[in-house]
């Protein structure tokens, strides 16, 4: 699977971007609750998917923002390798916990 996540053009503080990740995750929770309470409403799945995409975008942009401030040479294009390594570490952790 390959996802494309673009860097935001408007920059904020890492604290503000962290809050954005939490805000988007709360929206995922709300949509998941709606899907659970009303399984007959298929359109909630699209909303849930859209909210998850918002979380992914906000989280990846947080990494980009933090890296950009630490190293002025870090570009949004560098995110692919950084996040591929992070996803591999995540996969290994989940495998070790028996989730995979």
């Amino acid at each position: 699977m390959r996802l494309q996540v673009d860097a935001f053009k408007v920059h904020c503080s890492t604290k503000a971007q962290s809050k954005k990740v939490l805000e988007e995750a709360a929206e995922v929770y709300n949509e998941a609750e709606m899907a659970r309470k009303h399984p007959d409403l298929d359109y909630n799945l699209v909303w849930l998917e859209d909210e998850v995409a918002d979380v992914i975008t906000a989280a990846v942009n947080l990494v980009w923002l933090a890296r950009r401030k630490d190293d002025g040479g870090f570009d949004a294009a560098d995110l692919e390798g950084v996040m591929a390594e992070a996803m591999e570490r995540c996969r290994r952790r989940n495998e070790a916990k028996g989730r995979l």
Side-chain angles (χ1 to χ4, degrees):
M1 171 180 15
R2 183 178 169 100
L3 302 174
Q4 179 176 336
V5 180
D6 296 320
F8 292 152
K9 291 180 181 176
V10 177
H11 308 299
C12 60
S13 69
T14 53
K15 181 178 180 178
Q17 190 61 36
S18 296
K19 287 181 180 180
K20 184 65 175 169
V21 174
L22 293 173
E23 173 191 311
E24 297 298 347
E27 291 176 9
V28 167
Y29 175 80
N30 290 336
E31 291 304 325
E33 280 296 290
M34 287 295 293
R36 185 184 64 78
K37 290 178 182 178
H38 305 284
D40 54 316
L41 300 177
D42 290 335
Y43 62 86
N44 277 326
L45 295 178
V46 172
W47 292 350
L48 177 63
E49 294 160 357
D50 288 351
E51 294 303 339
V52 168
D54 286 343
V55 171
I56 292 167
T57 300
V60 170
N61 271 278
L62 174 59
V63 171
W64 178 81
L65 184 64
R67 287 243 180 199
R68 189 176 70 78
K69 288 189 174 185
D70 289 343
D71 177 6
F74 191 81
D75 186 81
D78 297 323
L79 275 176
E80 185 172 358
V82 167
M83 292 310 301
E85 291 171 11
M87 292 305 297
E88 177 58 23
R89 291 190 303 270
C90 180
R91 186 197 64 73
R92 287 193 305 259
R93 285 191 307 272
N94 283 318
E95 190 173 62
K97 294 175 184 176
R99 293 178 178 159
L100 299 178

